[in-house]
Amino acid sequence: MYHGIEVIDFHVHFPSQLPWFGDMDGSTEPPSDADLAKRRMVQEMSRPYSAQWRRMWDFPPPESAADHPGDEAQADRWLEELETHGIRAVGFVTGGGNDNLARICALHPDRFVGFAHHNPFRPDAAAELRRAVEELGLRGYKLLAPSIDQPIEDKTIYPVWEACRDLGMPVLIHFGIQGGPGGIAYHENINPFKLHDIARDFPEVTFVIPHFGCAWERETLQLCWACPNVCVDTSGSLQWIRWVPGEVTIKYLFRKFYETVGPGRILFGSDSSWFPRGFARRYLQDQFRDCVDLGMPDEHLQLIFGANAARLLGIALPGDEPEA
């Protein structure tokens, strides 16, 4: 526990030795040498900003691929992180594909929950989602909207949302700026309003927008107001607050969403991933401090930092068991 609160981290990336995100845009052709060269150039130009960010948060550099211990050992490292920091469970939103992540979560099923993560425009997307839940045991669906090159409101993929409805699973869907320095800032699917019609057509499905909307906080607040099945998570360093008008702070975001939608639709997440950092405890400390400073009672703190995630992911918390 953390200051008397059972914490569930709704948003963590399992640092697999396999690719995290896969081919979300559905392309079957590998990038050309020229495209790869451009990407490497952008990454190199952006490297100082990543170094500055790590320095700000006192984070070490990520370990190299050569130092990866293997996924089973990585799972043990993550279990140790949960024990060290008093975290009840984590939701791994990516982890080397659906089959690999399901295998990892099965190693510690009481502490690890996995999300399916595949392109909704795949011809078998709805069937794969049902397989991921019914056969593999995954419990959510994670999408990066700016990584999908077709408009997500296209009704040809409504069978995917129907599967989410039938399976009773939450959808974590990223909008806004994507990636670190040099990432995506403009895209067909970058605006959270793209979710409006989907959320209205599928009120039984809970949609969670991470990072408080990731620089689109006004649109996310309006969407949450219009669609009571839309929630937010608090994950990451939220450094995007530096790029929006006004003196926005993380405490300001908590207050705005708390006043607009209440504590039942805000979920704590850290966006943790790589080692040697492991669990980004600093995010939990800072966010918890802000919520306490805003005067939130313990029952609301428990909702935000654990109970909302427990409800959506089917995780038992103390006191949930029926009396004998």
Side-chain angles (χ1 to χ4, degrees):
M1 297 181 74
Y2 182 80
H3 291 288
I5 302 297
E6 292 278 358
V7 175
I8 296 175
D9 191 337
F10 187 75
H11 188 144
V12 175
H13 297 274
F14 181 78
S16 172
Q17 59 198 124
L18 300 174
W20 279 10
F21 301 131
D23 187 12
M24 285 301 295
D25 65 3
S27 173
T28 58
E29 295 294 328
S32 66
D33 290 343
D35 285 340
L36 286 174
K38 291 177 183 177
R39 292 181 191 180
R40 285 193 292 268
M41 182 181 295
V42 170
Q43 289 172 353
E44 189 60 33
M45 294 167 65
S46 302
R47 194 179 303 276
Y49 301 104
S50 297
Q52 179 195 37
W53 168 77
R54 287 195 301 271
R55 187 180 186 191
M56 288 166 57
W57 291 95
D58 193 24
F59 291 151
E63 64 189 6
S64 68
D67 292 328
H68 196 290
D71 281 1
E72 288 76 13
Q74 203 77 299
D76 290 340
R77 292 168 94 181
W78 256 108
L79 182 64
E80 184 177 351
E81 288 292 291
L82 302 191
E83 296 290 348
T84 297
H85 299 287
I87 307 301
R88 167 66 183 84
V90 293
F92 285 126
V93 300
T94 60
N98 295 345
D99 289 278
N100 189 66
L101 184 55
R103 180 177 64 84
I104 295 302
C105 290
L107 297 174
H108 305 288
D110 189 48
R111 311 297 293 276
F112 297 171
V113 175
F115 285 62
H117 182 62
H118 58 273
N119 193 311
F121 284 92
R122 275 176 46 171
D124 66 340
E128 171 60 14
L129 194 54
R130 294 180 187 276
R131 183 186 78 90
V133 174
E134 296 172 344
E135 298 182 25
L136 300 181
L138 301 179
R139 303 186 206 172
Y141 188 33
K142 165 66 188 294
L143 292 172
L144 294 154
S147 292
I148 302 169
D149 280 350
Q150 299 97 322
I152 64 161
E153 72 275 19
D154 192 318
K155 293 199 173 183
T156 62
I157 63 168
Y158 266 40
V160 171
W161 313 127
E162 291 166 2
C164 293
R165 177 196 62 202
D166 297 344
L167 296 165
M169 63 192 308
V171 178
L172 179 64
I173 180 165
H174 179 114
F175 295 96
I177 293 168
Q178 181 177 306
I184 299 172
Y186 176 78
H187 190 274
E188 160 80 21
N189 293 322
I190 205 164
N191 192 322
F193 281 152
K194 299 281 282 188
L195 186 61
H196 180 273
D197 290 353
I198 300 168
R200 297 295 283 263
D201 287 345
F202 294 92
E204 310 93 337
V205 178
T206 298
F207 295 92
V208 182
I209 297 177
H211 321 302
F212 284 119
C214 208
W216 296 74
E217 80 280 9
R218 185 192 69 170
E219 290 79 3
T220 303
L221 281 162
Q222 292 176 2
L223 181 65
C224 287
W225 182 254
C227 303
N229 55 325
V230 175
C231 304
V232 293
D233 88 22
T234 69
S235 61
S237 63
L238 303 173
Q239 62 178 317
W240 61 260
I241 63 177
R242 295 183 293 166
W243 314 323
V244 295
E247 294 299 319
V248 178
T249 65
I250 295 173
K251 183 188 290 187
Y252 164 91
L253 293 172
F254 269 105
R255 180 175 63 80
K256 278 289 187 180
F257 281 89
Y258 186 70
E259 292 174 349
T260 302
V261 302
R265 290 164 62 189
I266 304 172
L267 295 93
F268 167 72
S270 71
D271 209 15
S272 299
S273 53
W274 41 270
F275 285 93
R277 179 185 68 172
F279 175 67
R281 183 180 179 88
R282 174 73 179 275
Y283 299 161
L284 172 61
Q285 292 172 317
D286 288 357
Q287 293 184 20
F288 191 86
R289 179 200 61 220
D290 285 343
C291 290
V292 171
D293 198 29
L294 287 168
M296 296 184 189
D298 279 3
E299 62 205 72
H300 291 176
L301 295 173
Q302 183 60 79
L303 286 171
I304 292 170
F305 288 92
N308 292 332
R311 182 184 73 250
L312 291 180
L313 298 176
I315 300 171
L317 292 178
D320 290 345
E321 297 81 9
E323 296 181 3

